[in-house]
C-alpha cells in the first residue's frame, strides 16, 4: 500500500515555543492531506484539511493562527504548533489521499503520528 | 456536519467467538465507510471499507454491512483471536471533501 511518513515521532518542547511536524507521502501524490489530533483514550478529531497549493481549511474550534498548516508540494505538508502550551500535548496524526494511491480516491493513508509533550 | 455514533464503547469476547460493532451516521450524503484498527500509540490501520453502492463486504474473518436507508453500518469479526484486541473506529465520509468523521471507538478485548 501507499506509505505516509511523519517526523518527528516524538517531541518535547517548552511552553511558549513552536514545533513543526512534517508529513510526507512517499510513493504517491497527495492531493489532499488531513491533520488530526487524538487525546488519550479518545477518537481522532479532524483539525484541518489542506489541498496542495491552497490555504488549509480548519474545523470549527481550531485556531488557525495557532496551528499553521502548509501544503507546498504534492508530497509534503507541515503543521506548526505556535506558542505551544501544556494543553496542546497530544498525539498528532496526518493522513493523505490522492492520485496514484492503490486504494483509489477514497482511501486515506495515515502517518505514524507525532507525540507532542509541552512542559 | 456528519455525526457518527459507535457502540459499544467496550467489548470483551471469548477467543473464537464473534464480535459486532455498530455505527450510525447522520448525513445521507456520506458514501464511504471505512473501519480502522488502532493499537496503542500506533497509526489507525484500515481493515475494511465499504461504499454506498454495496450492502455487504467480506474479507476472511472480517465483514461489514451497510444499511443506507437506516444510515447504519456494522463490523463483524468472526473466530476472534487475541491479536484482534485493539481499539476499532468506524468512520464516514463524502466524495465532495473526503473528510473522515470518526466514531468514538470500541475497545475490543479477546480473552484467551
Amino acid at each position: 500500500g501507499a506509505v505516509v511518513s511523519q517526523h518527528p515521532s516524538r517531541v518535547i518542547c517548552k511552553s511558549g515555543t513552536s514545533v513543526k511536524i512534517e508529513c510526507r507521502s512517499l510513493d504517491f501524490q497527495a492531493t489532499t492531506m488531513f491533520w488530526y489530533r487524538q487525546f488519550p483514550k479518545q477518537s481522532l478529531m479532524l483539525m484541518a484539511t489542506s489541498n496542495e497549493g491552497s490555504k488549509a481549511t480548519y474545523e470549527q474550534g481550531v485556531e488557525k493562527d495557532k496551528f499553521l498548516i502548509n501544503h507546498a508540494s504534492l508530497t509534503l505538508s507541515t503543521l506548526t504548533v505556535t506558542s505551544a502550551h501544556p494543553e496542546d500535548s497530544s498525539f498528532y496524526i496526518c493522513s493523505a489521499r490522492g492520485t496514484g494511491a492503490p486504494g483509489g480516491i477514497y482511501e486515506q493513508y495515515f502517518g505514524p503520528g507525532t507525540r507532542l509533550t509541552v512542559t | 456536519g456528519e455525526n457518527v455514533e459507535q457502540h459499544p464503547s467496550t467489548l470483551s469476547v471469548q477467543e473464537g467467538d464473534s464480535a459486532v460493532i455498530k455505527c450510525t451516521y447522520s448525513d445521507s450524503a456520506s458514501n464511504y465507510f471505512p473501519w480502522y484498527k488502532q493499537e496503542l500509540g500506533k497509526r489507525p490501520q484500515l481493515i475494511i471499507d465499504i461504499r454506498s453502492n454495496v450492502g455487504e463486504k467480506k474479507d476472511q474473518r472480517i465483514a461489514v454491512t451497510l444499511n443506507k436507508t437506516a444510515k447504519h453500518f456494522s463490523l463483524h469479526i468472526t473466530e476472534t483471536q487475541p491479536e484482534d484486541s485493539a481499539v476499532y473506529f468506524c468512520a464516514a465520509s463524502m466524495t465532495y471533501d473526503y473528510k473522515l468523521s470518526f466514531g468514538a471507538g470500541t475497545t475490543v478485548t479477546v480473552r484467551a
Side-chain angles (χ1 to χ4, degrees):
Chain A
V3 179
V4 174
S5 69
Q6 207 172 322
H7 179 80
S9 57
R10 289 179 175 271
V11 59
I12 301 173
C13 71
K14 293 191 175 181
S15 188
T17 61
S18 295
V19 173
K20 180 184 281 189
I21 302 169
E22 290 188 350
C23 178
R24 293 182 184 271
S25 59
L26 300 186
D27 50 6
F28 69 100
Q29 294 185 322
T31 313
T32 312
M33 285 186 165
F34 303 89
W35 287 94
Y36 298 86
R37 181 166 53 183
Q38 186 176 32
F39 292 109
K41 297 186 187 294
Q42 293 188 24
S43 188
L44 285 82
M45 296 300 297
L46 180 66
M47 299 175 66
T49 303
S50 73
N51 292 295
E52 185 263 340
S54 58
K55 288 186 179 180
T57 304
Y58 291 81
E59 295 300 302
Q60 195 171 6
V62 177
E63 301 173 59
K64 62 178 71 174
D65 294 332
K66 181 170 183 61
F67 298 99
L68 302 179
I69 292 171
N70 184 278
H71 190 165
S73 78
L74 283 171
T75 59
L76 174 64
S77 176
T78 60
L79 167 68
T80 301
V81 183
T82 63
S83 187
H85 290 285
E87 56 265 30
D88 298 323
S89 298
S90 188
F91 192 49
Y92 291 86
I93 309 175
C94 69
S95 72
R97 57 162 295 279
T99 57
I105 61 172
Y106 291 95
E107 188 169 346
Q108 289 186 24
Y109 299 89
F110 286 85
T114 297
R115 175 76 56 194
L116 170 64
T117 303
V118 185
T119 62
Chain B
E2 175 63 276
N3 181 46
V4 178
E5 295 193 355
Q6 182 172 347
H7 299 280
S9 57
T10 61
L11 181 59
S12 179
V13 297
Q14 190 69 37
E15 182 178 0
D17 288 349
S18 295
V20 180
I21 304 170
K22 298 184 178 182
C23 289
T24 60
Y25 61 99
S26 60
D27 197 325
S28 56
S30 289
N31 57 3
Y32 175 63
F33 308 91
W35 285 89
Y36 297 92
K37 176 183 180 182
Q38 187 181 31
E39 297 176 350
L40 192 62
K42 301 288 181 64
R43 76 185 86 196
Q45 176 188 0
L46 179 70
I47 55 172
I48 197 166
D49 58 10
I50 192 167
R51 298 176 191 173
S52 61
N53 58 345
V54 175
E56 184 173 354
K57 184 177 177 181
K58 189 173 181 180
D59 183 5
Q60 299 183 339
R61 297 186 297 110
I62 295 173
V64 57
T65 58
L66 170 65
N67 183 327
K68 281 213 71 183
T69 303
K71 294 204 283 265
H72 66 71
F73 56 113
S74 301
L75 176 72
H76 303 252
I77 306 173
T78 59
E79 300 171 28
T80 54
Q81 300 166 4
E83 51 265 37
D84 293 330
S85 296
V87 181
Y88 291 80
F89 293 98
C90 63
S93 77
M94 306 171 209
T95 306
Y96 78 89
D97 64 8
Y98 303 102
K99 291 198 281 188
L100 286 170
S101 297
F102 282 85
T106 298
T107 301
V108 173
T109 303
V110 180
R111 308 186 306 273

